[in-house]
Amino acid sequence: MDIKLDPSRDDLPLVANTSHILVKHYVLDLDVDFESQVIGGTIVLFLESGNRFKKRSSSTEVACPSESNEACKFRMPEPCQIPVTNTKTFSSKIGYNDFVICGKGEKDTSGKDGNHDNQEQASGISSSKYCCDTGNHGSEEFLLVLDCCDLSVLKVEEVDVAAVPGIEKFTRSPKLRNQIVHEVMALPADRWREQLDYYARCSQAPGCGELLFDTDTWSLQIRKTGAQTATDFPHAIRIQYRTKPQGRSVTWTSDQSGRPCVYTVGSPINNRALFPCQEPPVAMSTWQATVRAAASFVVLMSGENSAKPTQLQEDYSSWHYYVTMPMPASTFTIAVGSWTEMKPEICSSNDVATERSFSPSEADFRYIGVCGHMEYPCRFQKASATTQKIIPHRVFAPACLKGACQETLLPLIPPCLSAAHSVLGTHPFSRLDILIVPANFSSLGMASPHIVFLSQSTLTGMSQLCGTRLCHEIAHAWFGLAIGARDWTEEWLSEGFATHLEDVFWAKAQQLAPHEAREQQELRACLRWRRLQDEVQNSPEEMQVLRPNKEKTGHVSDSGSSVIRHGLNPEKVFMQVHYLKGYFLLRFLAKRLGEDTYFSFLRKFVHTFHGQLILSQDFLQMLLENIPEEKRPELSVGNIFRDWLESSGIPQPLQRERQALAECGLAQQVSAEVAKWVRVNRRPRKRKRKDREEVFEKLLPDQLVLLLEHLLEQKTVTPRTLQSLERIYRLSEQDAEVRHRWCELIVKHKYTKAYRDVERFLQEDQAMGIYLYGELMLSEDPRQQHLARRCFELSREQMDKSSAEVVAEMLF
């Protein structure tokens, strides 16, 4: 039964009818215009239909996802006749001839629509007898539904792939265009270069008839007169469109050097405001993209190749990227700005993969003969990839952050990549770009295929925060990207794994002795326990559940549509429950199995499920099959669902570990330091001569965080004590996690001398500053409230939209 979607709810609708037809490949041809803050051009979708996408149910009707009750109305746009007046906009004639992979391509002399300022008016063509049917029964026409929001769709047309020179080898009948598309998609994985070349040339073929289309809040709906089934529907269509400056998938802003830039992010609505697409995870696709921008800009993207610019006329450059591993469209990322590539002073010899023999402990790293995923050029099949500890990588940032990147970030990348390889084996992706994104980026990091975004907040202080966050994002290459959740409500399958693995990777990257690694991991568990406790006390119960759909997890409607629970709730962006409860579940399981057994299983799991989408039970069932009977009393998939994934609050097995977390060695050392500070705080202003001076121990960054959290529990802390704290630990120079707790202390105790530290944090560490705004307002202190409003006004225009919405509610 299909879901009737209500856009006013906080659930995010996924409306694409993926049960009937799937996009298998996207070809994007786009221009980036910073003057109008628009990305525009065309996208060609290559589609596949077949019985395996059709549900057995006899009823395949879906309610029209528009907000009105009227019959669906379709329109054709007026032909574009508006002359180009903006000299920064040009016709996109370069296309893919800059990138003919097989060297067989012929020069295309036909002009293509670029990012022109087209009228958005369209003539309406309605069909009163037509209802929004996405199935294939009766005499009604098939409707292709794509996820789409905040886009101006200008034209939709069928692509005449039969007109491509040399394509006749697939079919001699121009009427069999869908057969041509099918044959191109069916090329074996070892002919991927040839396949990309055919996709590129087909995408440039002329149109052979405009298609009827309509848009509503969440979708683009397309049909062809007379096409009654998905099989009859054109399998190559071109959509001319442009983004809107306020689109929720695209962030236009300035970098830390004050230069304009734009980046996309896995926002609450994913990529549907960047291009029309199929958002459900099951719609795994590949893509290739040509993006043009002024020559002063660098274009970074989710792509297997380290693209270099091709110089065009009028001081413009063209960049081309491609991906051959099918992934959900939501993982596609683009960033365009005046980025500078940061290079290490000395190249490491470890960057080069070396062939070597395997020791017995490494046997499960070896490439496997058969993968369980759909066919693509898989690195797990390549012997050379299995031995490549450090994949090629590049670092980009605004020029003003060059020093910080070279000092903090660059030295960490090789050991962190090597550590990840030592734990999980083959890197799923062949290369990695890392970009330091603008200050308004709403989190500390985000991983996409072949590219990681890191917040500037990770560059301050010692290497701890940068290293752990880098390890977290590297872990997503396996969990979140190479292995994805089939139901996005099971976010813990990505974030819980990355949180658990960041500690393991980081310990190996630091080359810690086993007892040191164990102590640091216990301390981090203690800190996470405190955060989880705070989260469950201050968030709605229904948002604390890791598997909210319970037995319906993974179920979709007959058409393929579904919803992401709480996907539009702005508060969800700032919640960590999926990270924390997922982390503690995996930690619990690792302890039950023993770490050696657990990580050996994890490598086996990665080999089995890479390139695929999973549900919680896929992981848990395979895990339990690998646990000896004597180690799994009371352990079952059902019990884990009940205790960890389908209930709010803190799981019972974790409650029993509370005391042990507080008693770890590094936490006990912090407790001793807290006691010293409590004594210092109680002393009168003028000390007696017999009072001895306290000697404070040097603390790790995580210990400093815990120390400040304990001091936040004190009812009063004097200005004199706060001044000593800042001086002894140099708190204003520490990493963002430490400075965040320091700012909380400043706000709680109205330590006016350090208000400058709070202002700096709210400006430079926007990914972590949201909570501080609330604290400043709750104090009911006029000076603090004025500080909050002033900082918000300075940042509001550039601030992430979800963050700005949450802060505005606090302040006004």
Side-chain angles (χ1 to χ4, degrees), residues 332-493:
F332 179 95
T333 298
I334 184 171
V336 185
S338 300
W339 322 122
T340 299
E341 184 176 355
M342 310 297 171
K343 303 209 173 174
E345 299 296 330
I346 303 173
C347 292
S348 170
S349 60
N350 291 331
D351 286 355
V352 182
T354 56
E355 297 288 346
R356 56 186 174 82
S357 60
F358 290 94
S359 64
S361 63
E362 293 174 312
D364 51 359
F365 284 6
R366 298 187 67 173
Y367 64 96
I368 51 180
V370 179
C371 295
H373 52 71
M374 65 182 82
E375 191 181 13
Y376 66 83
C378 178
R379 283 175 55 79
F380 285 79
Q381 296 274 2
K382 299 177 182 177
S384 59
T386 64
T387 61
Q388 191 176 28
K389 295 181 178 181
I390 303 168
I391 55 176
H393 51 274
R394 305 183 298 181
V395 174
F396 294 87
C400 64
L401 294 177
K402 180 177 181 180
C405 284
Q406 289 184 323
E407 182 180 345
T408 304
L409 175 58
L410 279 170
L412 294 175
I413 300 172
C416 289
L417 286 171
S418 182
H421 178 273
S422 72
V423 176
L424 295 180
T426 308
H427 287 280
F429 301 105
S430 59
R431 67 174 203 94
L432 177 65
D433 282 342
I434 300 173
L435 172 66
I436 303 299
V437 281
N440 69 345
F441 188 64
S442 61
S443 69
L444 287 178
M446 185 186 80
S448 298
H450 312 280
I451 184 168
V452 161
F453 290 172
L454 283 183
S455 165
Q456 65 178 24
S457 297
T458 63
L459 299 178
T460 57
M462 298 169 63
S463 61
Q464 164 84 11
L465 180 59
C466 189
T468 54
R469 195 65 206 194
L470 179 60
C471 287
H472 183 101
E473 303 309 335
I474 288 172
H476 276 312
W478 286 268
F479 292 96
L481 295 175
I483 301 174
R486 186 150 61 88
D487 186 320
W488 277 337
T489 59
E490 293 203 301
E491 191 179 343
W492 81 273
L493 287 169

Side-chain angles (χ1 to χ4, degrees), residues 261-327:
C261 62
V262 61
Y263 63 89
T264 61
V265 68
S267 66
I269 66 166
N270 297 322
N271 272 329
R272 67 185 70 186
L274 176 62
F275 57 91
C277 56
Q278 291 181 329
E279 286 282 15
V282 70
M284 306 255 281
S285 59
T286 52
W287 57 76
Q288 61 198 109
T290 293
V291 177
R292 287 166 297 277
S296 60
F297 292 103
V298 174
V299 177
L300 301 176
M301 195 185 301
S302 307
E304 293 172 19
N305 57 312
S306 298
K308 301 295 182 185
T310 299
Q311 203 65 34
L312 306 178
Q313 72 277 20
E314 301 178 22
D315 296 323
Y316 276 79
S317 294
S318 172
W319 301 71
H320 185 87
Y321 289 88
Y322 62 86
V323 159
T324 60
M325 175 182 173
M327 281 171 288

Side-chain angles (χ1 to χ4, degrees), residues 677 694 696-697 723-731:
W677 282 108
E694 294 285 1
F696 296 99
E697 301 291 332
Q723 185 177 25
S724 297
L725 267 172
E726 202 285 328
R727 176 177 52 81
I728 288 172
Y729 299 121
R730 305 179 71 170
L731 293 175

Side-chain angles (χ1 to χ4, degrees), residues 525-533 584 650 654 658 661:
C526 178
L527 286 169
R528 289 182 180 125
W529 163 264
R530 296 172 65 86
R531 291 172 196 169
L532 180 59
Q533 209 174 18
F584 278 115
I650 296 178
L654 182 54
R658 178 178 183 176
L661 290 172

Side-chain angles (χ1 to χ4, degrees), residues 559-612:
S559 72
S561 65
S562 60
V563 297
I564 303 176
R565 294 287 299 275
H566 310 296
L568 291 173
N569 188 326
E571 293 181 19
K572 186 175 183 298
V573 178
F574 308 104
M575 290 189 64
Q576 293 187 320
V577 67
H578 291 82
Y579 296 70
L580 298 171
K581 287 177 75 170
Y583 155 81
F584 278 115
L585 169 57
L586 295 171
R587 187 171 182 271
F588 165 78
L589 294 172
K591 281 194 166 187
R592 180 65 69 93
L593 268 72
E595 294 210 342
D596 289 344
T597 303
Y598 173 77
F599 285 108
S600 178
F601 158 75
L602 210 55
R603 289 190 289 274
K604 181 180 177 182
F605 181 79
V606 166
H607 277 297
T608 303
F609 283 101
H610 71 273
Q612 300 176 64

